[in-house]
Amino acid sequence: MSSSSVNPDSLLAHRSFVAFWIARAASSFGFQMLSIVVSWQIYSITGRAFDLGLIGLVQFFPSVALALVAGHVADQFDRRRVVLIGQIAEWVAIAALAYLSLTHHVNEVIILGLIFIISTAKAMEAPSLQSMLPALVPPHLLARAMAANSVSGQAASMVGPALGGFLYVAGAGVAYSVCACLYLLSIVMVSRLRYEQAPPRRVPATFKTLFAGISFIRARPDVLGVISLDLFAVLLGGATALLPIFAHDILHTGPWGLGLLRGAPAVGGLIVGFWLSHRALTRNVGMTMFAAVAGFGAATLVFAFSTSLWLSMLVLFALGGFDMISMVIRGALVQLDTPDDMRGRVSAVNSIFINTSNQLGEFESGLLAAWVGAVPAAAIGGIGTLVVVGLWMTWFPGLRKRQKLENEVVEA
């Protein structure tokens, strides 16, 4: 399809974005399949629940420890090349898992070691990958492009584990081979897309340059407000970590009901993300973002007091939709308010906040539930999110009054 035959305001008119989207979708599906296959395989080998926790540990440590270094690399080198090197390393490790599983030479230590390699490569490529998107579409299409990417991510999180489990019936080696093929498709698409990046001004990796992303965020009220809002809202709104308790003790349902509850936010996010990928956000983006986060808090509060499975599913569906609106606006604002030569380091700091807030949010919900019970814990989280929205609207008036995603160019 030639770009001349497509509406220039359509994402399909931008071939590099299409290649980028296919690459992200393929690698996302591959990673989601990989996650479930690794868990099944390790547990079938050892039979120890502790080893499942080790999988999370070997993935979490590189994502936090290497984030700032990866952000510096993204701003100093060709981002497309960094992404290619990272994905090739991941593909080699997955291909090794496939070969060793097919030849029955695999064990727990080898699996964890290869997962550590994959996680390290993903940590190093992540800021470069996130920073490429603004160069692939015009600024007014960035929010729609981010929504389209989120749709593929949501679809992968919903379908990928089920597909991985289905393929595992034929053997772990077969499942890993399919994952490797998906990563190979991603590598081909990334190598084919056109990506223009201004030659970066090379500077050594010092304490100042590594932490330049934090300094930049502190100096930009809108960026600081967006990132900190995400941090505290997710930290307080982690009620989904308590779903097994609600399903068993409050809604009196079984594993099938828990599955419906877990899937409801993803379905809501998928539908809203698809809608946002076809609709431009042209006004009142600041208040829209605050309203979406408030809706997230309100949905959490209703869920806390619900005693009906169907009402709980409905509010979790709404919660996922509100979260998608907020996520798209936050992501676009951060990217558009950050100059290109800082996007890698700012994306790295943002990813640290997102990773830690998700992990700590689940811990906070579990700890609070142990102290006061699941219902009060979820209710406190919802109320806390609403309080945070009110405070941030007061403390960041410029963000509250923000009309458009696009902003004036900010000098580094």
Side-chain angles (χ1 to χ4, degrees):
M1 183 180 295
S2 66
S3 58
S4 60
S5 64
V6 182
N7 184 342
D9 282 339
S10 169
L11 293 174
L12 296 176
H14 303 275
R15 291 184 175 181
S16 290
F17 169 76
V18 174
F20 181 85
W21 187 89
I22 294 173
R24 286 295 301 270
S27 60
S28 295
F29 270 90
F31 185 75
Q32 291 294 336
M33 291 168 58
L34 177 71
S35 299
I36 198 71
V37 174
V38 166
S39 299
W40 272 106
Q41 188 177 33
I42 281 191
Y43 191 71
S44 66
I45 292 173
T46 69
R48 296 191 299 264
F50 175 76
D51 295 320
L52 298 178
L54 290 178
I55 298 173
L57 183 63
V58 298
Q59 293 182 81
F60 177 74
F61 179 74
S63 68
V64 175
L66 299 176
L68 295 181
V69 175
H72 177 79
V73 169
D75 290 335
Q76 292 294 297
F77 299 96
D78 186 316
R79 290 168 183 156
R80 187 171 71 99
R81 186 171 298 176
V82 172
V83 172
L84 275 175
I85 293 172
Q87 294 203 342
I88 289 172
E90 293 165 51
W91 176 78
V92 170
I94 296 170
L97 281 170
Y99 173 77
L100 293 172
S101 296
L102 289 170
T103 57
H104 306 289
H105 289 93
V106 71
N107 58 48
E108 175 198 6
V109 175
I110 291 175
I111 296 173
L112 290 175
L114 290 172
I115 291 301
F116 181 79
I117 293 173
I118 293 170
S119 302
T120 300
K122 283 187 71 67
M124 289 301 298
E125 76 164 90
S128 295
L129 191 66
Q130 295 167 11
S131 303
M132 287 176 65
L133 188 53
L136 303 179
V137 294
H140 71 280
L141 292 181
L142 181 60
R144 290 170 55 190
M146 296 186 73
N149 272 338
S150 297
V151 166
S152 65
Q154 292 279 16
S157 66
M158 292 171 59
V159 180
L163 184 58
F166 176 76
L167 290 171
Y168 192 89
V169 175
V174 174
Y176 286 135
S177 298
V178 174
C179 293
C181 290
L182 288 170
Y183 266 85
L184 187 59
L185 173 60
S186 178
I187 291 169
V188 171
M189 288 295 103
V190 173
S191 66
R192 289 173 59 88
L193 65 83
R194 292 182 181 179
Y195 178 72
E196 296 182 4
Q197 178 182 356
R201 181 170 56 90
R202 295 292 174 84
V203 294
T206 63
F207 184 87
K208 181 178 180 181
T209 57
L210 288 177
F211 285 83
I214 296 176
S215 300
F216 176 87
I217 291 169
R218 290 179 59 189
R220 302 303 193 279
D222 282 6
V223 178
L224 176 62
V226 165
I227 292 179
S228 58
L229 175 67
D230 180 45
L231 172 65
F232 285 99
V234 173
L235 188 63
L236 292 168
T240 52
L242 305 177
L243 286 180
I245 300 176
F246 276 89
H248 184 271
D249 297 340
I250 297 169
L251 302 176
H252 306 294
T253 185
W256 67 274
L258 177 60
L260 292 175
L261 292 171
R262 285 196 179 277
V267 174
L270 183 67
I271 292 174
V272 173
F274 183 79
W275 178 72
L276 287 174
S277 68
H278 290 80
R279 180 181 175 86
L281 297 168
T282 58
R283 60 180 182 175
N284 297 324
V285 294
M287 284 303 300
T288 301
M289 179 190 67
F290 281 122
V293 179
F296 181 92
T300 302
L301 190 59
V302 174
F303 172 77
F305 293 106
S306 171
T307 57
S308 164
L309 174 62
W310 301 111
L311 176 59
S312 297
M313 287 177 55
L314 181 63
V315 294
L316 287 175
F317 174 88
L319 181 147
F322 286 128
D323 188 46
M324 176 62 71
I325 295 172
S326 171
M327 182 175 64
V328 168
I329 294 177
R330 292 194 317 263
L333 283 175
V334 171
Q335 294 280 15
L336 290 172
D337 278 15
T338 305
D340 186 64
D341 62 342
M342 284 294 302
R343 282 191 178 121
R345 283 165 287 183
V346 171
S347 294
V349 175
N350 195 23
S351 68
I352 292 177
F353 285 171
I354 291 172
N355 288 335
T356 54
S357 62
N358 285 330
Q359 300 285 340
L360 291 178
E362 294 183 1
F363 174 73
E364 175 269 337
S365 295
L367 184 63
L368 197 57
W371 285 349
V372 300
V375 171
I380 290 171
I383 294 171
T385 301
L386 294 173
V387 170
V388 165
V389 170
L391 291 175
W392 260 242
M393 289 177 66
T394 302
W395 293 344
F396 298 94
L399 193 56
R400 185 184 73 240
K401 299 174 183 177
R402 184 81 175 246
Q403 292 295 310
K404 299 188 299 181
L405 291 171
E406 299 88 350
N407 199 6
E408 65 274 6
V409 176
V410 181
E411 297 295 334

